[in-house]
Amino acid sequence: MGFIKFTKGTSLSDKDRKALQKLLTDEKKKLQSALKEVDASLSVLGAGKKAKKKK
């Protein structure tokens, strides 16, 4: 993903604003799905550790 630098007084056109919003929404969805995978992995690892402690 690229980096966009905004300076004071810079404004986006409607087209650019919508494109940027779409890009950010897509990135957010990707991050949320990755976070769900990480949470699932951590819960599996956490359950394994808890089971070992009980023994």
Side-chain angles (χ1 to χ4, degrees):
M1 187 172 138
F3 178 76
I4 301 171
K5 183 179 180 181
F6 292 99
T7 58
K8 213 172 194 179
T10 302
S11 61
L12 291 174
S13 67
D14 263 357
K15 182 180 175 184
D16 289 339
R17 187 177 290 112
K18 287 178 183 177
L20 183 59
Q21 187 64 42
K22 184 179 184 297
L23 177 71
L24 292 175
T25 302
D26 291 345
E27 288 297 317
K28 183 179 175 182
K29 287 178 184 178
K30 287 180 194 174
L31 289 172
Q32 285 175 335
S33 66
L35 182 62
K36 285 179 185 177
E37 291 176 18
V38 170
D39 283 342
S41 298
L42 287 176
S43 67
V44 168
L45 290 173
K49 288 181 181 178
K50 288 178 185 174
K52 288 179 182 177
K53 288 182 181 179
K54 288 182 181 178
K55 289 182 180 178

